Amino acid sequence: MAVSTSGGLLDRNHSQSIFKHAILRRYITAYAAMVGSSSAGHRVAIVDGFAGRGRYPDGTPASGELILQAAAKASRAIVEVTLVEKTRADYDKLAQVVGEYQAQGVRAQAHQGLVHSHLGSIVEAATGIPLFLFLDPCGAGLPFSDLARVLVGERRPKRPSTEVLLNFSADFTRRAAGALAAGHDSHESLPALDRVCGGDWWREVALQARGPNTTFEASAEAVARAYTDRLARRTGMRGVTVPVKRRVGHQPVYHLVFLTRSPFGIWVFADAIARARREWLEALGPEEEDALFSYDGVIADVLAQEQEKARERVRKNLQNVVARRNRAKLVDEVWSVFDGVYGLANDTTIRAALSLAAKDGAVSIIDQGNKIRDTVIGRGH
């Protein structure tokens, strides 16, 4: 039997939420540090448009409190947090959590209602300072036109920075694609997904991707990637699509769509994904059929093997970079550095791969940056 929100779906920190929250926690902290050091008054605006109660009943932080915690710990930025929740009961609990952090000196506010109705004023209040939007609805997301309008309008220039992390529901896409394939043209999910995608183009994409398969996993993947590409082109941003699953081998519950105009954002998000994935795998625990085996040992071996392969791939990627360019800053070649290992390689992986490449003479280190992404490399000797 399906579990609805009233049946406790939001009462527990599910495995897919562990991955999402680990990404959010790591990236928010890094984003505030990156952009806050040079922003006007060191101010940074962070918005959670579907904040829920902010905290699970067992006391575990949900997205709202994770953002508040990042704001409280920020040392190089003044983080201004805005949390929005539509239902009154959840908003009342959210407001209590916000009040706790306000008492600690965190600049935070909670709004009750639909994020659509508050988005204009939120963006206006962030004029001239960096803005990070986290949009994590249950089901269909914001209409494409509304989201694009915000990102194309006053937020179009590279500075101040604007970034978005949103939930694109794979469950909802599969449901809509299933209705479409069955000829249920009046199903409510179809026009809803049309609004999210900014047109009915997704219908052909979903059907073509499915082919003869009996499931709609490929359809959800294809639509999510096409949505990311379209929104990125429309807004002049760069996009990353990340499938989020309950367990290894399962179909994605949703895809996280990340949009930025900065190669630094692409780099730091890659590091956040890789580290969050490791945290997710370590937190899963064994399936029932694996209970007799040492799960921790198996995961440790898998992660070690992945990192070994990732280091070798990055080493070759670095060789390819210097074959094309005599001198290159790593962050300026972010796609080339992470080619084939985006979401697996983190900063530690890159540092180890560079050390190996420099040691065997494949590349040379011209300028060692404070961060590995700032390192300048050249051709080997």
Side-chain angles (χ1 to χ4, degrees), residues 196-235:
V196 171
C197 291
D200 63 2
W201 57 264
W202 68 268
R203 302 185 183 200
E204 182 178 357
V205 170
L207 293 179
Q208 287 184 348
R210 184 197 182 202
N213 296 329
T214 56
T215 72
F216 290 91
E217 181 176 4
S219 297
E221 177 77 18
V223 172
R225 290 186 178 276
Y227 170 85
T228 303
D229 290 343
R230 283 172 175 262
L231 188 57
R233 288 198 304 269
R234 178 73 177 87
T235 58

Side-chain angles (χ1 to χ4, degrees), residues 121 313 381:
S121 60
R313 177 59 183 262
H381 301 298

Side-chain angles (χ1 to χ4, degrees), residues 30-150:
Y31 177 78
M34 279 193 298
V35 302
S37 59
S38 59
S39 67
H42 301 296
R43 296 167 59 207
V44 179
I46 300 180
V47 178
D48 186 344
F50 300 84
R53 291 169 288 195
R55 178 187 294 158
Y56 293 105
D58 66 358
T60 304
S63 63
E65 187 169 17
L66 288 172
I67 293 172
L68 291 167
Q69 288 177 344
K73 294 176 182 176
S75 58
R76 291 191 288 172
I78 299 172
V79 181
E80 302 171 2
V81 179
T82 302
L83 307 177
V84 183
E85 171 50 37
K86 66 177 181 178
T87 65
R88 185 70 203 190
D90 286 346
Y91 165 78
D92 289 341
K93 291 182 173 63
L94 176 66
Q96 292 176 10
V97 176
V98 170
E100 294 175 19
Y101 285 84
Q102 288 174 332
Q104 299 175 31
V106 174
R107 298 189 183 186
Q109 55 185 326
H111 295 299
Q112 194 264 318
L114 295 172
V115 66
H116 310 59
S117 60
H118 293 287
L119 202 53
S121 60
I122 289 171
V123 172
E124 183 178 355
T127 299
I129 65 173
L131 171 65
F132 183 92
L133 290 171
F134 178 58
L135 304 171
D136 186 24
C138 292
L142 284 180
F144 187 95
S145 57
D146 290 352
L147 185 54
R149 188 181 305 115
V150 168

Side-chain angles (χ1 to χ4, degrees), residues 131-378:
L131 171 65
F132 183 92
L133 290 171
F134 178 58
L135 304 171
D136 186 24
C138 292
L142 284 180
F144 187 95
S145 57
D146 290 352
L147 185 54
R149 188 181 305 115
V150 168
L151 300 176
V152 172
E154 296 297 324
R155 307 303 309 186
R156 181 62 184 263
K158 287 188 177 181
R159 292 192 177 184
S161 166
T162 303
E163 295 187 349
V164 182
L165 181 63
L166 61 89
N167 175 329
F168 192 87
S169 175
D171 283 343
F172 188 80
T173 303
R174 287 192 293 268
R175 185 161 64 251
L180 179 67
H184 300 157
D185 296 336
S186 61
H187 196 279
E188 61 183 9
S189 63
L190 272 62
L193 195 51
D194 288 349
R195 289 190 292 272
V196 171
C197 291
D200 63 2
W201 57 264
W202 68 268
R203 302 185 183 200
E204 182 178 357
V205 170
L207 293 179
Q208 287 184 348
R210 184 197 182 202
N213 296 329
T214 56
T215 72
F216 290 91
E217 181 176 4
S219 297
E221 177 77 18
V223 172
R225 290 186 178 276
Y227 170 85
T228 303
D229 290 343
R230 283 172 175 262
L231 188 57
R233 288 198 304 269
R234 178 73 177 87
T235 58
M237 303 178 84
R238 310 176 189 203
V240 176
T241 309
V242 182
V244 181
K245 307 175 181 180
R246 291 185 177 90
R247 300 196 69 88
V248 177
H250 286 205
Q251 294 190 44
V253 180
Y254 52 82
H255 292 82
L256 286 176
V257 175
F258 174 68
L259 294 169
T260 180
R261 295 189 176 94
S262 168
F264 289 91
I266 296 294
W267 184 291
V268 177
F269 192 66
D271 181 73
I273 296 172
R275 295 182 188 278
R277 179 176 177 274
R278 184 185 189 99
E279 187 175 327
W280 171 69
L281 284 171
E282 291 174 343
L284 280 181
E287 296 273 17
E288 289 184 11
E289 58 269 25
D290 299 329
L292 296 178
F293 299 94
S294 173
Y295 179 79
D296 291 340
V298 170
I299 289 300
D301 287 344
V302 169
L303 291 171
Q305 292 170 16
E306 284 184 349
Q307 286 303 300
E308 183 178 354
K309 292 179 180 179
R311 281 193 300 272
E312 179 59 24
R313 177 59 183 262
V314 173
R315 189 183 68 80
K316 292 180 180 178
N317 290 346
L318 296 174
Q319 287 182 256
N320 292 336
V321 168
V322 297
R324 289 187 292 102
R325 300 180 59 184
N326 290 329
R327 179 187 180 99
K329 188 183 225 182
L330 292 185
V331 71
D332 294 335
E333 293 285 341
V334 59
W335 294 118
S336 297
V337 171
F338 284 96
D339 182 38
V341 287
Y342 199 97
L344 293 177
N346 57 36
D347 279 8
T348 302
T349 316
I350 306 300
R351 188 174 291 106
L354 177 57
S355 178
L356 291 172
K359 185 176 181 179
D360 64 20
V363 304
S364 62
I365 299 175
I366 298 174
D367 184 8
Q368 185 76 59
N370 291 330
K371 301 281 189 182
I372 185 64
R373 61 179 181 261
D374 298 322
T375 299
V376 179
I377 62 173

